[in-house]
Amino acid sequence: MPDLPIPDVLGLLDDVPDPLRVLMTLGLLLLLVILRFDAERFNAAEYDDIDRWGRPPSLLRRLAWYTLGIGGILLVLQVHPNPAGELYLGLGDRLGAVILGLAYGAIGAAIAVGIALYRYHYVRFPATRLYPAKITNAIATAFLDEAIFRGILFGFLLGTGMDANAANLIQAIVYALATRLGAPGRPWYMLVTSLLIGLAGGWLTATTGGIGAAFLGHSITRIAIFLTT
């Protein structure tokens, strides 16, 4: 039986004009934002916990959420004509990313301890068996959040000629809404924390020219929140 040629699907994009590729990226962005809104259904991000009926989170649904999110971001990298320059999907200034990211992470860890003291009046460390899955969820969520909101969405907003501060505020508000931490029964301080994460990540992205610093600091903050609460 003769070998069938495998079409180079991504190679077909070479003939697609840049404006159309930007519109395709915008469509992917909308799908990624919807995916973030639906994190609860996938038991991912802030919802990687026992549900109201006492059932443990589904590993398969979490993996599906990570796969769809990372796959969408990889598509954006292939489709958009300049993802690193216009959408900040890169590390940016490496030294600045490390220094500012660690500083952000230290502040985020301090806030996590403050949340624990406010809510429980002491720092309560989780069972060791939970560490691998929870830390993986924290890092994967931080990557998706930074790539989607501080990378693609922030880049699109700035591409309209909008003021950087206004663009940062808009993407942070959309991010805070996407986490659905403002829903009834959710603690108000977690909503405030997500808004601060969005604002800090946007500022760092604009300063360093990439999402590296925001991703590093966000990951440390999420891990610290898991460890202390």
Side-chain angles (χ1 to χ4, degrees):
M1 182 176 180
D3 294 334
L4 297 177
I6 300 176
D8 183 8
V9 178
L10 294 179
L12 297 176
L13 293 173
D14 294 339
D15 298 325
V16 177
D18 287 353
L20 183 55
R21 295 176 69 169
V22 171
L23 288 177
M24 293 168 64
T25 304
L26 182 59
L28 289 170
L29 169 62
L30 295 177
L31 291 175
L32 288 169
V33 171
I34 292 172
L35 181 68
R36 188 59 174 89
F37 268 98
D38 218 21
E40 184 175 12
R41 188 189 302 271
F42 289 88
N43 297 131
E46 298 81 13
Y47 305 97
D48 178 28
D49 206 348
I50 296 173
D51 64 17
R52 68 188 71 178
W53 297 282
R55 296 176 300 194
S58 168
L59 176 61
L60 289 179
R61 283 201 293 269
R62 269 183 294 164
L63 291 175
W65 191 75
Y66 303 147
T67 301
L68 289 171
I70 294 173
I73 293 167
L74 291 177
L75 279 176
V76 169
L77 288 172
Q78 293 292 334
V79 171
H80 195 275
N82 185 17
E86 296 181 13
L87 302 182
Y88 298 106
L89 292 180
L91 292 177
D93 177 64
R94 295 189 178 184
L95 181 60
V98 172
I99 294 175
L100 293 176
L102 290 176
Y104 170 14
I107 296 172
I111 292 175
V113 172
I115 291 174
L117 295 177
Y118 173 81
R119 184 173 183 178
Y120 305 109
H121 306 294
Y122 63 92
V123 175
R124 41 184 271 180
F125 292 101
T128 307
R129 61 182 174 79
L130 299 175
Y131 281 38
K134 296 291 187 178
I135 291 177
T136 299
N137 179 66
I139 295 173
T141 302
F143 172 72
L144 291 178
D145 287 350
E146 298 309 318
I148 296 169
F149 296 95
R150 263 65 73 189
I152 307 171
L153 178 58
F154 190 39
F156 267 114
L157 291 173
L158 290 177
T160 65
M162 183 181 298
D163 175 75
N165 291 325
N168 190 27
L169 179 61
I170 290 173
Q171 67 80 19
I173 291 174
V174 174
Y175 168 65
L177 292 174
T179 64
R180 299 174 66 182
L181 291 174
R186 296 287 174 181
W188 63 268
Y189 46 82
M190 292 306 297
L191 176 62
V192 173
T193 300
S194 69
L195 183 60
L196 292 176
I197 285 174
L199 290 171
W203 182 82
L204 287 174
T205 298
T207 301
T208 61
I211 61 171
F215 167 61
L216 177 58
H218 190 170
S219 298
I220 294 172
T221 300
R222 280 193 172 274
I223 293 172
I225 290 174
F226 155 65
L227 291 176
T228 57
T229 63

